[in-house]
Amino acid sequence: MKLSIITINYNDKDGLAKTLDSVWNWQQGFDDFEHIVIDGGSTDGSVGVIEQYAGQLSYWVSEPDKGIYNAMNKGIAQAKGEYLLFLNGGDWLAPGILSSLPFDTFVEDIVYGDFIYVKENGSKIYVRYADRLTDLFLLVYSIGHPASFIRRSLFRDGGYDESFRVVSDWAFFCEQIIKNRCSVRHIRYDVSYFNMYGISARKDMQSIIKEEHHRFLAEANIPVTPMLHDNIIEKIETLEHTFSYLTKSKTDAFLASKRMQYYTRKFIKIMFIIKKIFKQ
């Protein structure tokens, strides 16, 4: 079997319905896969949604779990596919994407596609990745979990680190790609839609995310200190804000301004620092 799609869910009946609908009804035209659903004991009617697809699912369960990554690990334990795709409840596949992907050419450990962020107001942000991933990019951003096909054998020594509440998939990609140098390939397909109103987007989770980033960097022995990691993120966010302002300003006037010259010098300085650290 080529692919195992793992969907976890907790009290998101409507989101789960959309996820399952995208896998089974949106003209996918591909049958070399299985679908596993791990529900955390939902009480909002999610089980009824799952039961509508029970005959098509290879495995499903609804029971209390210990968090996001405990649920994913339950799915990994049941999976039989060569590659795993984690498509959480509330995320959905692009119509017809499974029949469009070149699965016959997949030989790498991780094959990652592009995806689309969907905000609560329905607006979309199209995420396009580079064909070559730098260590810096993975440390600061990472690749899209619901658009990444991960060889199941990468989990042979265990699943996701359940000591992390929010960032274990990011830590996994850093560990496998930066430290273990597993093989990676980019495919230029919009694989899935990712909702931006999940747990990692909540404001009350940002301090936890920062703490978990710091802990991983310290434990993984990656040559980037937590302080430098935060500083790089802060500088990039400043530059992103600047270019956002640029799109709403008179471009010619801004390019000629002292402010633009200042940010250009800052940007060049940051790039030299990054190059020195990673020697790339």
Side-chain angles (χ1 to χ4, degrees):
M1 183 178 295
K2 194 67 175 180
L3 177 66
S4 296
I5 299 174
I6 298 174
T7 295
I8 67 168
N9 176 74
Y10 181 65
N11 282 340
D12 186 8
K13 174 185 174 182
D14 294 339
L16 177 63
K18 190 165 188 175
T19 303
L20 294 174
D21 195 30
S22 76
V23 174
W24 293 105
N25 299 326
W26 290 10
Q27 301 176 332
Q28 294 300 346
F30 177 79
D31 58 12
D32 193 13
F33 78 99
E34 64 176 356
H35 195 181
I36 296 165
V37 177
I38 308 295
D39 181 76
S42 295
T43 57
D44 69 338
S46 291
V47 173
V49 173
I50 298 171
E51 289 175 339
Q52 294 176 29
Y53 293 88
Q56 294 154 286
L57 302 175
S58 65
Y59 177 86
W60 74 273
V61 68
S62 180
E63 63 185 13
D65 55 49
K66 300 175 183 177
I68 295 171
Y69 299 109
N70 178 245
M72 288 184 181
N73 286 341
K74 287 182 180 181
I76 293 170
Q78 297 296 328
K80 298 177 178 63
E82 183 181 355
Y83 286 89
L84 309 183
L85 174 67
F86 294 90
L87 190 72
N88 293 347
D91 303 332
W92 62 95
L93 291 176
I97 188 61
L98 293 185
S99 61
S100 300
L101 292 174
F103 283 111
D104 290 345
T105 70
F106 284 18
V107 295
E108 294 80 9
D109 295 318
I110 298 174
V111 179
Y112 64 99
D114 301 323
F115 72 105
I116 299 137
Y117 277 123
V118 181
K119 297 183 178 181
E120 279 192 277
N121 63 9
S123 62
K124 299 178 178 64
I125 300 173
Y126 291 81
V127 180
R128 301 289 182 263
Y129 290 109
D131 291 337
R132 179 178 178 271
L133 296 172
T134 65
D135 292 353
L136 174 67
F137 180 86
L138 288 165
L139 287 167
V140 174
Y141 289 110
S142 194
I143 53 180
H145 204 201
S148 297
F149 301 87
I150 306 168
R151 192 178 288 279
R152 181 163 57 93
S153 59
L154 292 184
F155 294 102
R156 61 181 173 269
D157 294 328
Y160 287 110
D161 186 343
E162 295 180 22
S163 71
F164 295 114
R165 290 179 58 188
V166 190
V167 307
S168 196
D169 51 315
W170 167 81
F172 172 84
F173 286 134
C174 288
E175 186 85 23
Q176 294 296 333
I177 301 174
I178 296 176
K179 291 193 68 177
N180 298 341
R181 294 299 175 190
C182 73
S183 57
V184 181
R185 175 160 66 106
H186 177 225
I187 52 173
R188 297 179 183 180
Y189 292 82
D190 288 328
V191 174
S192 58
Y193 292 77
F194 176 77
N195 80 71
M196 293 185 68
Y197 37 92
I199 185 171
S200 62
R202 284 168 27 193
K203 289 184 178 180
D204 62 323
M205 297 301 295
Q206 299 314 301
S207 62
I208 294 174
I209 291 172
K210 184 175 182 178
E211 181 276 324
E212 291 188 347
H213 279 159
H214 288 187
R215 179 157 61 87
F216 170 76
L217 291 170
E219 294 173 354
N221 195 30
I222 289 176
V224 175
T225 66
M227 182 176 295
L228 179 58
H229 179 262
D230 290 350
N231 187 255
I232 291 171
I233 290 177
E234 180 183 343
K235 297 300 184 187
I236 289 174
E237 288 176 346
T238 298
L239 290 167
E240 287 176 343
H241 174 74
T242 300
F243 286 108
S244 174
Y245 169 80
L246 178 62
T247 63
K248 293 176 283 188
S249 306
K250 294 181 179 179
T251 305
D252 291 341
F254 187 84
L255 290 173
S257 69
K258 290 184 178 180
R259 185 177 183 185
M260 183 61 185
Q261 295 170 17
Y262 167 79
Y263 279 113
T264 299
R265 289 194 298 271
K266 293 286 284 186
F267 179 79
I268 292 171
K269 185 176 181 180
I270 293 168
M271 290 302 101
F272 272 115
I273 292 172
I274 291 169
K275 184 177 180 181
K276 184 176 180 180
I277 293 169
F278 292 98
K279 297 181 180 178
Q280 295 184 16

